[in-house]
Coordinates of all heavy atoms in Angstrom, one line a residue:
M1 N 7.7 21.9 -7.2 CA 8.0 20.5 -7.2 C 6.9 19.8 -8.0 O 5.7 20.1 -7.8 CB 8.0 20.0 -5.8 CG 8.1 18.5 -5.7 SD 8.4 17.7 -4.2 CE 7.5 18.6 -3.0
E2 N 7.3 19.0 -8.9 CA 6.3 18.3 -9.7 C 6.0 16.9 -9.1 O 6.8 16.3 -8.5 CB 7.0 17.9 -11.1 CG 6.1 18.2 -12.3 CD 6.9 18.0 -13.6 OE1 7.8 18.8 -13.9 OE2 6.5 17.0 -14.2
L3 N 4.7 16.6 -9.1 CA 4.2 15.4 -8.5 C 3.4 14.6 -9.5 O 2.8 15.2 -10.4 CB 3.3 15.7 -7.3 CG 3.9 16.4 -6.1 CD1 2.9 16.8 -5.1 CD2 5.0 15.6 -5.5
D4 N 3.4 13.3 -9.4 CA 2.6 12.4 -10.2 C 2.3 11.2 -9.4 O 2.9 10.9 -8.4 CB 3.4 12.1 -11.5 CG 2.5 11.6 -12.6 OD1 1.3 11.5 -12.4 OD2 3.0 11.4 -13.7
F5 N 1.3 10.4 -9.9 CA 1.0 9.2 -9.2 C 0.3 8.2 -10.1 O -0.2 8.5 -11.2 CB 0.1 9.5 -8.0 CG -1.4 9.8 -8.3 CD1 -2.3 8.8 -8.3 CD2 -1.8 11.0 -8.7 CE1 -3.6 9.0 -8.6 CE2 -3.1 11.3 -9.0 CZ -4.0 10.3 -9.0
W6 N 0.4 6.9 -9.7 CA -0.3 5.9 -10.3 C -1.3 5.4 -9.3 O -1.0 5.3 -8.1 CB 0.6 4.7 -10.6 CG 1.7 4.9 -11.6 CD1 1.6 5.7 -12.8 CD2 3.1 4.5 -11.6 NE1 2.8 5.7 -13.4 CE2 3.7 5.0 -12.7 CE3 3.8 3.7 -10.7 CZ2 5.0 4.7 -13.0 CZ3 5.1 3.5 -10.9 CH2 5.7 4.0 -12.1
E7 N -2.5 5.1 -9.8 CA -3.5 4.6 -8.9 C -3.9 3.2 -9.2 O -4.1 2.9 -10.4 CB -4.8 5.5 -9.0 CG -5.9 5.1 -8.1 CD -7.1 6.1 -8.1 OE1 -6.9 7.2 -8.6 OE2 -8.2 5.6 -7.7
M8 N -4.0 2.4 -8.2 CA -4.4 1.0 -8.4 C -5.4 0.7 -7.3 O -5.2 1.1 -6.1 CB -3.2 0.0 -8.3 CG -2.1 0.3 -9.3 SD -0.6 -0.7 -9.0 CE -1.2 -2.3 -9.6
T9 N -6.4 -0.1 -7.6 CA -7.4 -0.5 -6.6 C -7.3 -2.1 -6.6 O -7.5 -2.7 -7.6 CB -8.8 0.0 -7.0 OG1 -8.8 1.4 -7.0 CG2 -9.8 -0.5 -5.9
A10 N -7.0 -2.6 -5.4 CA -6.9 -4.0 -5.3 C -8.3 -4.7 -5.4 O -9.3 -4.2 -4.8 CB -6.3 -4.4 -3.9
P11 N -8.4 -5.7 -6.2 CA -9.7 -6.4 -6.3 C -10.0 -7.3 -5.1 O -10.2 -8.5 -5.2 CB -9.5 -7.3 -7.6 CG -8.1 -7.6 -7.6 CD -7.4 -6.4 -7.0
V12 N -9.8 -6.7 -3.9 CA -10.0 -7.4 -2.7 C -11.2 -6.8 -2.0 O -11.3 -5.5 -2.0 CB -8.7 -7.3 -1.8 CG1 -8.9 -7.9 -0.4 CG2 -7.5 -7.8 -2.5
T13 N -12.0 -7.5 -1.4 CA -13.2 -7.0 -0.6 C -12.7 -6.0 0.4 O -11.8 -6.2 1.1 CB -13.9 -8.2 0.1 OG1 -14.2 -9.2 -0.8 CG2 -15.2 -7.7 0.8
P14 N -13.4 -4.8 0.4 CA -12.9 -3.7 1.2 C -12.9 -4.1 2.7 O -12.1 -3.5 3.5 CB -14.0 -2.6 1.0 CG -14.5 -2.9 -0.3 CD -14.5 -4.4 -0.5
H15 N -13.6 -5.1 3.1 CA -13.6 -5.4 4.6 C -12.5 -6.4 5.0 O -12.4 -6.8 6.1 CB -15.0 -6.0 4.9 CG -16.1 -5.0 4.7 ND1 -16.3 -3.9 5.6 CD2 -17.0 -4.9 3.8 CE1 -17.3 -3.2 5.1 NE2 -17.8 -3.8 4.0
R16 N -11.7 -6.8 4.0 CA -10.6 -7.7 4.3 C -9.5 -6.9 5.0 O -9.4 -5.6 4.8 CB -10.0 -8.3 3.0 CG -11.0 -9.3 2.3 CD -11.3 -10.5 3.1 NE -10.1 -11.2 3.5 CZ -10.0 -12.0 4.6 NH1 -11.0 -12.1 5.4 NH2 -8.9 -12.6 4.9
P17 N -8.6 -7.5 5.7 CA -7.5 -6.8 6.4 C -6.6 -6.1 5.4 O -6.4 -6.5 4.3 CB -6.8 -7.9 7.2 CG -7.7 -9.0 7.2 CD -8.6 -8.9 6.0
L18 N -6.0 -5.0 5.9 CA -5.0 -4.2 5.0 C -3.9 -5.1 4.5 O -3.5 -5.0 3.4 CB -4.4 -3.1 5.9 CG -3.4 -2.2 5.2 CD1 -4.0 -1.6 3.9 CD2 -2.9 -1.1 6.1
E19 N -3.5 -6.1 5.3 CA -2.5 -7.1 4.9 C -2.9 -7.8 3.6 O -2.0 -8.0 2.7 CB -2.3 -8.1 6.0 CG -1.3 -9.1 5.7 CD -1.1 -10.1 6.9 OE1 -1.7 -9.9 7.9 OE2 -0.4 -11.1 6.7
D20 N -4.2 -8.1 3.4 CA -4.6 -8.7 2.1 C -4.5 -7.8 0.9 O -4.1 -8.2 -0.1 CB -6.1 -9.2 2.3 CG -6.2 -10.3 3.3 OD1 -5.2 -10.8 3.8 OD2 -7.4 -10.7 3.5
H21 N -4.8 -6.6 1.1 CA -4.7 -5.6 0.1 C -3.2 -5.4 -0.3 O -2.8 -5.3 -1.5 CB -5.3 -4.2 0.5 CG -6.8 -4.3 0.7 ND1 -7.7 -4.0 -0.3 CD2 -7.5 -4.7 1.7 CE1 -8.9 -4.2 0.1 NE2 -8.8 -4.6 1.4
L22 N -2.3 -5.3 0.7 CA -0.9 -5.2 0.4 C -0.3 -6.4 -0.2 O 0.6 -6.3 -1.1 CB -0.1 -4.9 1.7 CG -0.4 -3.5 2.4 CD1 0.3 -3.4 3.7 CD2 0.0 -2.4 1.4
A23 N -0.8 -7.6 0.1 CA -0.4 -8.8 -0.6 C -0.7 -8.8 -2.1 O 0.1 -9.2 -2.9 CB -1.0 -10.1 0.1
W24 N -1.9 -8.3 -2.4 CA -2.2 -8.1 -3.8 C -1.3 -7.2 -4.5 O -0.8 -7.4 -5.6 CB -3.7 -7.7 -4.0 CG -4.0 -7.5 -5.4 CD1 -4.4 -8.4 -6.3 CD2 -3.9 -6.2 -6.2 NE1 -4.6 -7.8 -7.6 CE2 -4.3 -6.5 -7.5 CE3 -3.6 -4.9 -5.8 CZ2 -4.3 -5.5 -8.5 CZ3 -3.6 -3.9 -6.8 CH2 -4.0 -4.2 -8.1
L25 N -1.0 -6.0 -3.8 CA -0.1 -5.0 -4.4 C 1.3 -5.6 -4.6 O 1.9 -5.4 -5.6 CB -0.1 -3.8 -3.5 CG 0.7 -2.6 -4.0 CD1 0.1 -2.1 -5.3 CD2 0.7 -1.5 -3.0
K26 N 1.7 -6.4 -3.6 CA 3.0 -7.0 -3.7 C 3.1 -7.9 -4.9 O 4.1 -7.9 -5.7 CB 3.3 -7.9 -2.4 CG 4.5 -8.7 -2.5 CD 4.7 -9.6 -1.2 CE 5.8 -10.5 -1.3 NZ 5.9 -11.4 -0.1
S27 N 2.0 -8.7 -5.2 CA 2.0 -9.6 -6.4 C 2.1 -8.8 -7.7 O 2.6 -9.4 -8.7 CB 0.7 -10.4 -6.3 OG -0.4 -9.7 -6.7
R28 N 1.7 -7.6 -7.7 CA 1.8 -6.7 -8.9 C 3.1 -6.0 -9.0 O 3.6 -5.8 -10.1 CB 0.7 -5.7 -8.9 CG -0.7 -6.2 -8.7 CD -1.2 -7.2 -9.7 NE -1.2 -6.5 -11.0 CZ -1.4 -7.0 -12.2 NH1 -1.6 -8.3 -12.2 NH2 -1.4 -6.4 -13.3
L29 N 3.7 -5.7 -7.9 CA 4.9 -4.8 -7.9 C 6.2 -5.6 -7.9 O 7.2 -5.2 -8.5 CB 4.9 -3.8 -6.8 CG 3.8 -2.8 -6.9 CD1 3.9 -1.8 -5.7 CD2 3.8 -2.1 -8.2
I30 N 6.3 -6.7 -7.2 CA 7.5 -7.5 -7.1 C 8.1 -7.9 -8.4 O 9.3 -7.8 -8.7 CB 7.3 -8.7 -6.2 CG1 7.3 -8.3 -4.7 CG2 8.4 -9.8 -6.4 CD1 8.6 -7.8 -4.1
P31 N 7.3 -8.3 -9.4 CA 7.8 -8.7 -10.7 C 8.4 -7.5 -11.4 O 9.2 -7.6 -12.3 CB 6.6 -9.2 -11.5 CG 5.6 -9.7 -10.5 CD 5.8 -8.7 -9.3
R32 N 8.1 -6.3 -11.0 CA 8.7 -5.0 -11.6 C 9.7 -4.4 -10.6 O 10.0 -3.2 -10.7 CB 7.5 -4.1 -11.9 CG 6.6 -4.6 -13.0 CD 5.2 -4.0 -12.9 NE 4.3 -4.5 -13.8 CZ 3.6 -5.6 -13.7 NH1 3.7 -6.3 -12.5 NH2 2.8 -6.1 -14.6
G33 N 10.2 -5.2 -9.7 CA 11.1 -4.7 -8.7 C 12.3 -3.9 -9.2 O 12.6 -2.9 -8.6
S34 N 13.0 -4.4 -10.2 CA 14.2 -3.7 -10.7 C 13.8 -2.3 -11.2 O 14.6 -1.3 -11.0 CB 14.9 -4.5 -11.7 OG 14.1 -4.7 -12.8
V35 N 12.7 -2.2 -11.9 CA 12.3 -0.9 -12.4 C 11.9 0.1 -11.2 O 12.3 1.2 -11.2 CB 11.1 -1.0 -13.3 CG1 10.5 0.3 -13.7 CG2 11.4 -1.8 -14.6
L36 N 11.2 -0.4 -10.2 CA 10.9 0.4 -9.1 C 12.1 0.8 -8.3 O 12.2 2.0 -7.8 CB 9.9 -0.4 -8.2 CG 8.5 -0.5 -8.7 CD1 7.7 -1.4 -7.9 CD2 7.8 0.9 -8.8
R37 N 13.1 -0.1 -8.1 CA 14.3 0.3 -7.4 C 15.0 1.4 -8.2 O 15.6 2.3 -7.6 CB 15.2 -0.9 -7.2 CG 14.8 -1.7 -6.0 CD 15.9 -2.8 -5.7 NE 15.9 -3.9 -6.7 CZ 15.0 -4.9 -6.6 NH1 14.1 -5.0 -5.7 NH2 15.1 -5.9 -7.6
D38 N 15.1 1.3 -9.5 CA 15.7 2.3 -10.3 C 15.0 3.7 -10.1 O 15.6 4.7 -10.0 CB 15.7 2.0 -11.8 CG 16.7 0.9 -12.1 OD1 17.6 0.6 -11.3 OD2 16.6 0.3 -13.2
I39 N 13.6 3.6 -10.2 CA 12.9 4.9 -10.0 C 13.1 5.4 -8.6 O 13.3 6.7 -8.4 CB 11.4 4.6 -10.2 CG1 11.1 4.3 -11.7 CG2 10.5 5.8 -9.8 CD1 9.7 3.7 -11.9
A40 N 13.2 4.6 -7.6 CA 13.3 5.0 -6.2 C 14.7 5.7 -6.0 O 14.8 6.4 -5.0 CB 13.1 3.9 -5.2
T41 N 15.7 5.4 -6.8 CA 17.0 6.1 -6.6 C 16.9 7.5 -7.0 O 17.7 8.3 -6.5 CB 18.1 5.4 -7.4 OG1 17.8 5.5 -8.8 CG2 18.3 3.9 -7.0
A42 N 16.0 7.9 -7.9 CA 15.9 9.3 -8.3 C 14.7 10.0 -7.8 O 14.7 11.3 -7.7 CB 15.9 9.3 -9.8
L43 N 13.7 9.3 -7.5 CA 12.4 9.9 -7.1 C 11.9 9.3 -5.8 O 12.3 8.2 -5.4 CB 11.3 9.7 -8.2 CG 11.7 10.2 -9.6 CD1 10.7 9.7 -10.6 CD2 11.8 11.7 -9.6
S44 N 10.9 10.0 -5.2 CA 10.3 9.4 -4.0 C 9.2 8.4 -4.4 O 8.3 8.8 -5.2 CB 9.7 10.5 -3.1 OG 9.0 10.0 -2.1
V45 N 9.2 7.2 -3.9 CA 8.2 6.2 -4.3 C 7.5 5.8 -3.0 O 8.2 5.3 -2.1 CB 8.8 5.0 -5.0 CG1 7.7 4.0 -5.3 CG2 9.5 5.4 -6.3
D46 N 6.2 6.0 -2.9 CA 5.5 5.7 -1.7 C 4.2 5.0 -2.1 O 3.6 5.2 -3.1 CB 5.1 6.9 -0.8 CG 6.4 7.6 -0.3 OD1 7.1 7.0 0.4 OD2 6.6 8.8 -0.7
V47 N 3.7 4.1 -1.2 CA 2.4 3.5 -1.3 C 1.5 4.3 -0.3 O 1.8 4.4 0.9 CB 2.4 2.0 -1.0 CG1 1.0 1.4 -0.9 CG2 3.2 1.3 -2.0
F48 N 0.4 4.7 -0.8 CA -0.6 5.4 0.0 C -1.8 4.5 0.1 O -2.4 4.1 -0.9 CB -1.0 6.8 -0.6 CG -2.1 7.5 0.2 CD1 -1.8 8.2 1.3 CD2 -3.4 7.4 -0.2 CE1 -2.8 8.8 2.1 CE2 -4.4 8.0 0.5 CZ -4.1 8.8 1.6
C49 N -2.2 4.2 1.4 CA -3.4 3.4 1.6 C -4.4 4.2 2.5 O -4.0 5.0 3.3 CB -3.1 2.1 2.4 SG -2.0 1.0 1.5
E50 N -5.6 3.9 2.3 CA -6.7 4.4 3.1 C -7.3 3.3 3.9 O -7.7 2.3 3.4 CB -7.7 5.0 2.1 CG -8.8 5.8 2.8 CD -9.8 6.4 1.8 OE1 -9.4 7.5 1.3 OE2 -10.8 5.9 1.6
Y51 N -7.3 3.5 5.2 CA -7.9 2.6 6.1 C -9.1 3.2 6.8 O -9.0 4.2 7.4 CB -6.9 2.2 7.2 CG -7.4 1.2 8.2 CD1 -7.4 -0.1 8.0 CD2 -7.9 1.7 9.4 CE1 -7.9 -1.0 9.0 CE2 -8.4 0.8 10.4 CZ -8.4 -0.5 10.2 OH -8.9 -1.4 11.1
R52 N -10.3 2.6 6.6 CA -11.5 3.1 7.2 C -12.0 2.1 8.3 O -11.9 0.9 8.2 CB -12.6 3.2 6.1 CG -12.3 4.2 5.1 CD -13.4 4.3 4.0 NE -13.1 5.3 3.1 CZ -13.5 6.6 3.2 NH1 -14.3 6.9 4.1 NH2 -13.2 7.5 2.2
S53 N -12.5 2.8 9.3 CA -13.0 2.0 10.5 C -14.3 2.7 11.0 O -14.3 3.9 11.1 CB -12.0 1.9 11.6 OG -12.5 1.2 12.7
N54 N -15.2 1.9 11.5 CA -16.4 2.5 12.1 C -16.4 2.1 13.6 O -17.4 2.2 14.3 CB -17.7 2.0 11.5 CG -17.9 0.5 11.5 OD1 -17.0 -0.2 12.0 ND2 -19.0 0.1 11.0
H55 N -15.2 1.7 14.1 CA -15.0 1.4 15.5 C -14.3 2.5 16.2 O -13.2 3.0 15.7 CB -14.3 0.1 15.7 CG -14.9 -1.1 15.1 ND1 -16.1 -1.7 15.5 CD2 -14.6 -1.8 13.9 CE1 -16.4 -2.7 14.7 NE2 -15.6 -2.8 13.8
G56 N -14.7 2.9 17.4 CA -14.0 4.0 18.1 C -12.6 3.6 18.4 O -11.7 4.5 18.6
Q57 N -12.3 2.4 18.6 CA -10.9 1.9 18.8 C -10.3 1.4 17.6 O -9.4 0.5 17.7 CB -10.9 0.9 20.0 CG -11.5 1.4 21.2 CD -10.8 2.5 21.8 OE1 -9.5 2.5 21.8 NE2 -11.5 3.5 22.3
G58 N -10.7 1.9 16.4 CA -10.2 1.3 15.2 C -8.7 1.4 15.0 O -8.1 2.4 15.5
G59 N -8.1 0.5 14.3 CA -6.7 0.5 14.1 C -6.3 -0.8 13.4 O -7.2 -1.6 13.1
F60 N -5.1 -1.0 13.1 CA -4.6 -2.2 12.5 C -3.2 -2.5 12.9 O -2.5 -1.7 13.4 CB -4.7 -2.0 10.9 CG -3.9 -0.9 10.4 CD1 -2.6 -1.2 10.0 CD2 -4.3 0.3 10.3 CE1 -1.8 -0.2 9.5 CE2 -3.5 1.4 9.8 CZ -2.2 1.1 9.4
S61 N -2.8 -3.7 12.6 CA -1.4 -4.1 12.8 C -1.0 -4.9 11.5 O -1.9 -5.5 10.9 CB -1.2 -4.9 14.1 OG -2.0 -6.1 14.0
L62 N 0.3 -4.9 11.3 CA 0.8 -5.6 10.1 C 2.0 -6.4 10.5 O 2.9 -5.9 11.2 CB 1.2 -4.6 9.0 CG 0.1 -3.8 8.4 CD1 0.7 -2.7 7.5 CD2 -0.8 -4.7 7.5
P63 N 2.1 -7.7 10.1 CA 3.3 -8.5 10.4 C 4.4 -8.0 9.6 O 4.2 -7.4 8.5 CB 2.8 -9.9 10.1 CG 1.8 -9.7 9.1 CD 1.1 -8.4 9.4
P64 N 5.6 -8.3 10.0 CA 6.8 -7.8 9.3 C 6.8 -8.2 7.8 O 7.2 -7.5 6.9 CB 8.0 -8.4 10.0 CG 7.5 -8.7 11.4 CD 6.0 -9.0 11.2
E65 N 6.4 -9.5 7.5 CA 6.4 -9.9 6.1 C 5.4 -9.2 5.2 O 5.6 -9.2 4.0 CB 6.1 -11.4 6.1 CG 4.8 -11.9 6.7 CD 4.9 -12.2 8.2 OE1 6.0 -12.0 8.8 OE2 3.9 -12.7 8.7
A66 N 4.5 -8.5 5.8 CA 3.6 -7.7 5.0 C 4.3 -6.4 4.5 O 3.8 -5.8 3.5 CB 2.3 -7.3 5.8
L67 N 5.4 -6.0 5.1 CA 6.1 -4.8 4.7 C 7.5 -5.0 4.2 O 8.1 -4.1 3.6 CB 6.1 -3.9 6.0 CG 4.8 -3.4 6.5 CD1 5.0 -2.7 7.8 CD2 4.0 -2.6 5.5
S68 N 8.1 -6.2 4.4 CA 9.5 -6.4 4.1 C 9.7 -6.2 2.6 O 10.8 -5.7 2.2 CB 9.9 -7.8 4.5 OG 9.2 -8.8 3.9
W69 N 8.8 -6.5 1.8 CA 9.0 -6.4 0.3 C 9.1 -4.9 0.0 O 9.8 -4.5 -1.0 CB 7.9 -7.1 -0.5 CG 6.5 -6.5 -0.2 CD1 5.6 -6.8 0.7 CD2 5.9 -5.5 -1.0 NE1 4.5 -6.1 0.6 CE2 4.6 -5.3 -0.5 CE3 6.2 -4.7 -2.1 CZ2 3.7 -4.3 -1.0 CZ3 5.3 -3.8 -2.6 CH2 4.1 -3.6 -2.1
M70 N 8.4 -4.0 0.7 CA 8.5 -2.6 0.4 C 9.9 -2.1 0.8 O 10.5 -1.3 0.0 CB 7.5 -1.8 1.3 CG 6.1 -2.0 0.8 SD 5.0 -1.0 1.8 CE 3.5 -1.3 0.9
V71 N 10.5 -2.6 1.9 CA 11.8 -2.2 2.2 C 12.8 -2.6 1.2 O 13.7 -1.9 0.7 CB 12.2 -2.8 3.6 CG1 13.7 -2.6 3.9 CG2 11.3 -2.3 4.7
E72 N 12.6 -3.9 0.6 CA 13.5 -4.4 -0.4 C 13.5 -3.5 -1.7 O 14.4 -3.4 -2.4 CB 13.1 -5.8 -0.8 CG 13.4 -6.8 0.3 CD 12.8 -8.2 0.0 OE1 12.6 -8.5 -1.2 OE2 12.7 -9.0 1.0
L73 N 12.3 -2.9 -2.0 CA 12.1 -2.1 -3.1 C 12.4 -0.6 -2.9 O 12.3 0.2 -3.8 CB 10.7 -2.3 -3.7 CG 10.4 -3.7 -4.2 CD1 8.9 -3.7 -4.8 CD2 11.3 -4.1 -5.3
G74 N 12.6 -0.3 -1.6 CA 12.8 1.1 -1.3 C 11.6 2.0 -1.4 O 11.6 3.1 -1.7
I75 N 10.5 1.4 -1.0 CA 9.1 2.0 -1.1 C 8.7 2.3 0.3 O 8.7 1.4 1.2 CB 8.1 1.1 -1.8 CG1 8.5 0.9 -3.3 CG2 6.7 1.7 -1.8 CD1 7.7 0.0 -4.1
G76 N 8.2 3.5 0.5 CA 7.6 3.9 1.8 C 6.1 3.6 1.8 O 5.5 3.3 0.8
L77 N 5.5 3.6 3.0 CA 4.1 3.3 3.2 C 3.5 4.5 4.0 O 4.0 4.9 5.0 CB 3.8 2.0 3.9 CG 2.4 1.7 4.3 CD1 1.5 1.5 3.0 CD2 2.3 0.5 5.2
E78 N 2.4 5.0 3.5 CA 1.6 6.0 4.2 C 0.2 5.6 4.2 O -0.4 5.1 3.3 CB 1.7 7.4 3.4 CG 1.0 8.5 4.1 CD 1.1 9.8 3.3 OE1 2.1 10.0 2.6 OE2 0.3 10.7 3.5
V79 N -0.4 5.7 5.4 CA -1.8 5.2 5.7 C -2.6 6.3 6.2 O -2.2 6.9 7.2 CB -1.8 4.0 6.6 CG1 -3.2 3.5 6.9 CG2 -0.9 2.8 6.1
A80 N -3.7 6.6 5.6 CA -4.7 7.6 6.1 C -5.7 6.8 6.9 O -6.3 5.9 6.3 CB -5.3 8.3 5.0
V81 N -5.9 7.1 8.1 CA -6.9 6.4 8.9 C -8.1 7.3 9.0 O -8.0 8.4 9.5 CB -6.3 6.1 10.4 CG1 -7.4 5.4 11.2 CG2 -5.1 5.2 10.3
I82 N -9.2 6.8 8.6 CA -10.5 7.5 8.5 C -11.5 6.8 9.4 O -11.8 5.7 9.2 CB -11.0 7.6 7.1 CG1 -10.0 8.3 6.2 CG2 -12.4 8.3 7.0 CD1 -10.2 8.2 4.7
M83 N -12.0 7.5 10.4 CA -12.9 7.0 11.4 C -14.3 7.4 10.9 O -14.6 8.6 10.7 CB -12.7 7.5 12.8 CG -11.3 7.2 13.3 SD -10.8 5.5 13.3 CE -11.9 4.8 14.5
E84 N -15.2 6.4 10.6 CA -16.5 6.7 10.2 C -17.5 6.4 11.3 O -17.6 5.2 11.7 CB -16.9 5.8 9.0 CG -16.0 6.1 7.8 CD -16.2 5.1 6.7 OE1 -16.6 3.9 6.9 OE2 -16.0 5.5 5.5
M85 N -18.1 7.4 11.9 CA -19.0 7.2 13.0 C -20.4 7.3 12.6 O -20.8 7.9 11.7 CB -18.7 8.2 14.1 CG -17.3 8.1 14.7 SD -17.2 6.5 15.6 CE -15.5 6.6 16.1

């Protein structure tokens, strides 16, 4: 199986909530929505995020509107949670 990826780094302070990073990504991808939907019909399209926390009870929550645009574009979300102690 052949794999490829595009990498983008949001110009958002790392300590801002994941929702802020996704909002930036949304602003970049929504204008290209038709192209992404076409790609998603033939290939797997996912967003991979890394979430770092130095709290033992680290975690996050996202409101529906932070993810609804991904559903509209047929894009999945994968989050790696990294605990830094």
Side-chain angles (χ1 to χ4, degrees):
M1 174 171 37
E2 226 177 289
L3 299 174
D4 202 353
F5 75 98
W6 296 319
E7 181 176 340
M8 300 173 79
T9 301
V12 178
T13 304
H15 298 288
R16 297 293 306 151
L18 180 57
E19 181 179 351
D20 292 355
H21 295 264
L22 291 175
W24 177 83
L25 186 61
K26 174 184 175 182
S27 75
R28 307 299 298 172
L29 296 183
I30 286 292
R32 295 157 183 86
S34 62
V35 172
L36 287 170
R37 277 189 289 278
D38 287 346
I39 292 171
T41 62
L43 303 170
S44 175
V45 178
D46 298 298
V47 170
F48 175 81
C49 297
E50 185 176 280
Y51 176 84
R52 293 179 178 266
S53 177
N54 62 358
H55 302 288
Q57 301 298 319
F60 62 91
S61 63
L62 294 167
E65 56 273 5
L67 300 173
S68 61
W69 64 274
M70 290 182 172
V71 173
E72 292 172 20
L73 296 179
I75 296 174
L77 175 65
E78 183 175 336
V79 179
V81 178
I82 300 168
M83 303 307 290
E84 300 175 330
M85 297 293 179

